[in-house]
């Protein structure tokens, strides 16, 4: 699941059903078979960085669609798209948390590229919570999804500000990683620095513009009565 946006060589991804392998997504009429095959021959570190760029790009782009005031969160016809954006955002947040903070030895992590890496304390602590929450409520069918005590249930903050806080924490970890990686004069410095610029979280002004567009779309959705073929089935 991912954005179809590209940035300076950061490819979008699609999963090959027969193998589960992720590969750069291009249309059949655009794909160069030699380039396509060459991607698999690139060093694993370079392919890991491509995939990390995709994760960070999604964390930057999805909050406006996944927050509680999303324009998609209006009516049953848009509900599946809204839920998909929420799930996609938190799955990518978990991936970033696992790459920079949890770092299981069996997987691709920051230490695979920089063995001396330690995440900054503040963002790491908050990303630990993100990893734990998404593991229980998004990725796995844990018992926390079906609590027996209503008083123990807590709604996660789904505001735009809260989702952007997760985005900024992941970006802070990424920034620290890029800085340490650059100091060590390791390969792919230019690729990482370019990626770092490309996935920068939106500024306050950019965020305000996005919110303005969202409010305009929200007013349109409330003003006009769009046909909803599912409403009669779901709600009788």
């Amino acid at each position: 699941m991912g954005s179809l946006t590209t940035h300076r060589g950061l490819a979008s991804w699609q999963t090959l059903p027969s193998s589960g392998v992720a590969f750069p997504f291009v249309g059949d009429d655009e794909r160069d078979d030699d380039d396509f095959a060459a991607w698999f021959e690139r060093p694993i570190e370079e392919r890991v960085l491509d995939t990390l760029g995709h994760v960070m790009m999604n964390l930057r782009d999805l909050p406006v669609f996944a927050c509680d005031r999303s324009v998609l969160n209006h009516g049953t016809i848009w509900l599946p798209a809204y839920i998909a954006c929420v799930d996609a955002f938190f799955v990518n947040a978990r991936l970033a948390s696992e790459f920079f903070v949890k770092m299981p030895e069996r997987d691709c992590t920051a230490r695979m590229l920089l063995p001396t890496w330690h995440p900054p304390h503040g963002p790491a602590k908050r990303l630990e919570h993100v990893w734990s929450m998404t593991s229980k409520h998004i990725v796995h069918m844990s018992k926390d999804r079906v609590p027996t005590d209503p008083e123990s249930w807590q709604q996660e903050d789904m505001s735009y500000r809260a989702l952007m806080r997760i985005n900024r924490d992941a970006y802070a970890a990424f920034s620290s990683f890029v800085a340490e990686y650059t100091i060590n004069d390791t390969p792919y410095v230019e690729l990482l620095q370019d990626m770092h610029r490309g996935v920068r979280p939106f500024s306050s002004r950019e965020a305000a513009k996005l919110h303005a567009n969202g409010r305009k779309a929200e007013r349109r959705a409330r003003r006009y009565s769009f046909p909803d073929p599912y409403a009669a089935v779901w709600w009788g």
Side-chain angles (χ1 to χ4, degrees):
M1 185 184 300
S3 168
L4 294 181
T5 308
T6 57
H7 169 73
R8 298 290 302 277
L10 298 183
S12 301
W13 304 93
Q14 180 170 311
T15 299
L16 190 64
S18 60
S19 66
V21 175
F23 64 89
F25 175 79
V26 291
D28 290 338
D29 58 336
E30 299 174 348
R31 192 175 79 194
D32 185 312
D33 287 338
D34 291 336
D35 289 344
F36 176 71
W39 185 86
F40 294 90
E41 298 173 1
R42 288 159 56 189
I44 187 170
E45 293 85 0
E46 193 173 338
R47 287 179 281 140
V48 167
L49 290 177
D50 274 354
T51 307
L52 175 63
H54 169 68
V55 169
M56 299 301 298
M57 183 171 58
N58 279 336
L59 287 179
R60 180 201 62 191
D61 292 345
L62 283 171
V64 70
F65 300 107
C67 69
D68 54 6
R69 295 190 62 186
S70 167
V71 68
L72 297 175
N73 194 15
H74 294 285
T76 53
I77 194 170
W78 301 110
L79 186 61
Y82 173 64
I83 293 172
C85 286
V86 171
D87 284 355
F89 175 80
F90 282 106
V91 165
N92 281 277
R94 186 181 187 274
L95 287 170
S97 303
E98 198 154 89
F99 185 86
F100 291 117
V101 180
K102 300 298 290 185
M103 296 182 286
E105 292 183 4
R106 67 184 181 279
D107 292 332
C108 301
T109 72
R111 283 188 183 148
M112 173 183 175
L113 301 159
L114 192 62
T116 59
W117 162 253
H118 291 280
H121 177 71
K125 185 176 180 180
R126 291 186 292 273
L127 289 174
E128 279 270 8
H129 166 76
V130 171
W131 184 89
S132 177
M133 184 274 295
T134 53
S135 295
K136 294 174 182 176
H137 294 280
I138 301 291
V139 177
H140 300 295
M141 186 64 80
S142 74
K143 291 183 179 179
D144 284 1
R145 281 179 177 251
V146 285
T148 56
D149 180 9
E151 293 184 1
S152 66
W153 184 85
Q154 290 184 335
Q155 171 66 45
E156 194 72 21
D157 188 351
M158 292 296 298
S159 66
Y160 180 81
R161 179 174 295 182
L163 300 191
M164 283 304 297
R165 188 183 307 124
I166 294 172
N167 179 203
R168 285 193 294 270
D169 281 338
Y171 190 75
F174 185 37
S175 298
S176 178
F177 175 77
V178 171
E180 187 173 338
Y181 192 90
T182 302
I183 290 173
N184 282 267
D185 196 27
T186 40
Y188 313 116
V189 168
E190 186 175 342
L191 172 62
L192 258 180
Q193 290 175 338
D194 187 46
M195 185 191 305
H196 183 253
R197 289 188 293 270
V199 300
R200 174 186 60 81
F202 291 118
S203 67
S204 298
R205 180 175 294 182
E206 291 167 332
K209 186 176 180 180
L210 287 171
H211 276 302
N213 291 337
R215 285 193 294 271
K216 187 183 295 184
E218 183 180 344
R219 287 195 297 271
R220 287 200 190 104
R222 290 177 175 173
R223 181 177 178 183
Y224 299 104
S225 178
F226 295 111
D228 190 340
Y230 301 108
V233 176
W234 286 11
W235 309 115

